[in-house]
Every structure is written in C-alpha cells, then in structure tokens.
Amino acid sequence: MTETEPFEGQLLTARLSLRRPAKGDIHAILAIHSDPATCLHNPSDVVLRRADAEQLYQRWDDQWERYGYGYWVVRRHDSARQLGFCGIKPMELKGIDILNLFYRFDRSAWGQGLASEAATAVTRWAARSVPGLPLVARIRPANVASQRVAVHAGLSRAVHLDGPGFDGFDWVFAVEPHPCPLPG
C-alpha cells in the first residue's frame, strides 16, 4: 500500500466540514454504527458496545497515523454535531491495491445530499493526494441510496470487479479508469 505524508487539514465543502476523528467522536461512532438502519446492508459493521466503538476509533486512528489519511468526521460548518463519516481505506480487491470509499451517516442526515457532498470531496482529495491507487466503492445491489452517492461522487459501475464481500455480494463502482482491465 502507498503511504503518504500525513494530512492534518480539514476538507471543506459548501455545507460541510470534514476532519480527522478524535477520541471525543467515539460516542458518534457508537450512535451511528449501532443503528440497525445505518448498517442494514453491512450488518458486520454494527457496533453495540462502547468498547467496540473505541476499538473501531483506534483502527481508524492507526490508519491515519500510518497513511496520513482515513475516515473523516462529517459535520455542518455551523455545528459541532457529527452527521456521519466519510473517507478512504487502503485495501486489496482482486489482487490490486485500491482505496475503498466509505460513507455512513446518521439517519437524520439522509436525503439531503450530504453523503454525496462529502463523498465528492473525498473523491477529489484522493485523486490529488493518493493518485497511485484506484478508488472504488463496494456496495450491495439492494443499496440504491449508496449507489446514487457513488455516482454523484464520480464513480461508475465496474461490473468486472463485482464479487463476494463481507456481508454479501458487492457491486463495485470505480473512478475511471477502472482498476483491473476488462477481461477479454
């Protein structure tokens, strides 16, 4: 995996501020990841105990320390309230090193275009800051809302990369050019 210089700044959009998570965000990690609706399509991501939220925060923080990027806490400019999380994680897909685009928001933030706005900011940041790794989003076929977010962020279907994921079959969306050429 590619390592980069640490990134300490915030990402800003028209309505949102994205910043590196801090220990004070553990309560939001627990609240958002313990809601069955937010993890409906990824039940293995459910977090029910504070200790598990602390471990998840520690994994996120370790990734920031190692790579200089990771998941950001998303909030409105005029509020300290965490709306959700959006960011990237290095991983492997079909033998190729990639960045996986992640977004998960509190139900109160759904339907307002906030996830699309955050995902677009992260996608643009990744293209500038980690250009050597393809960016993908792995999404369940039934998760139409998440698919719309990926498309709004500039990703398109990469059917040739679809396959089994942690919680079921994944459809893969990728920034052009797609990683792994089409078989042929």
Side-chain angles (χ1 to χ4, degrees):
M1 298 290 160
T2 303
E3 296 190 23
T4 63
E5 290 298 313
F7 173 72
E8 298 298 335
Q10 292 186 342
L11 297 180
L12 299 174
T13 70
R15 299 180 289 173
L16 303 173
S17 173
L18 289 73
R19 65 160 172 78
R20 180 179 175 171
K23 286 186 179 182
D25 297 312
I26 291 172
H27 71 283
I29 292 171
L30 179 59
I32 292 170
H33 285 83
S34 66
D35 182 343
T38 66
C39 295
L40 177 66
H41 299 283
N42 300 90
S44 67
D45 289 350
V46 171
V47 172
L48 297 175
R49 299 176 316 143
R50 180 166 174 88
D52 295 330
E54 289 169 352
Q55 288 178 348
L56 183 55
Y57 161 76
Q58 192 58 57
R59 285 197 309 268
W60 290 1
D61 193 57
D62 290 347
Q63 180 186 317
W64 271 94
E65 288 298 318
R66 180 170 180 194
Y67 295 102
Y69 58 81
Y71 297 157
W72 281 271
V73 175
V74 180
R75 59 184 177 78
R76 289 186 183 270
H77 291 297
D78 59 354
S79 175
R81 182 174 170 269
Q82 302 94 334
L83 299 172
F85 309 98
C86 184
I88 52 177
K89 174 176 87 171
M91 59 181 298
E92 189 176 290
L93 177 68
K94 298 195 178 212
I96 302 292
D97 289 339
I98 60 146
L99 293 174
N100 185 70
L101 178 63
F102 169 85
Y103 35 89
R104 179 161 294 135
F105 283 74
D106 186 85
R107 280 192 278 173
S108 68
W110 291 3
Q112 301 171 50
L114 300 173
S116 293
E117 191 171 322
T120 298
V122 169
T123 299
R124 288 178 180 158
W125 182 89
R128 286 188 316 270
S129 303
V130 196
L133 292 176
L135 181 69
V136 307
R138 299 168 302 122
I139 303 170
R140 297 291 107 59
N143 194 346
V144 176
S146 185
Q147 294 169 31
R148 281 194 298 261
V149 169
V151 169
H152 281 121
L155 286 73
S156 60
R157 285 282 281 123
V159 176
H160 65 289
L161 296 175
D162 292 353
F166 296 116
D167 292 316
F169 193 79
D170 286 333
W171 278 5
V172 176
F173 289 72
V175 172
E176 295 282 351
H178 295 149
C180 309
L182 286 169

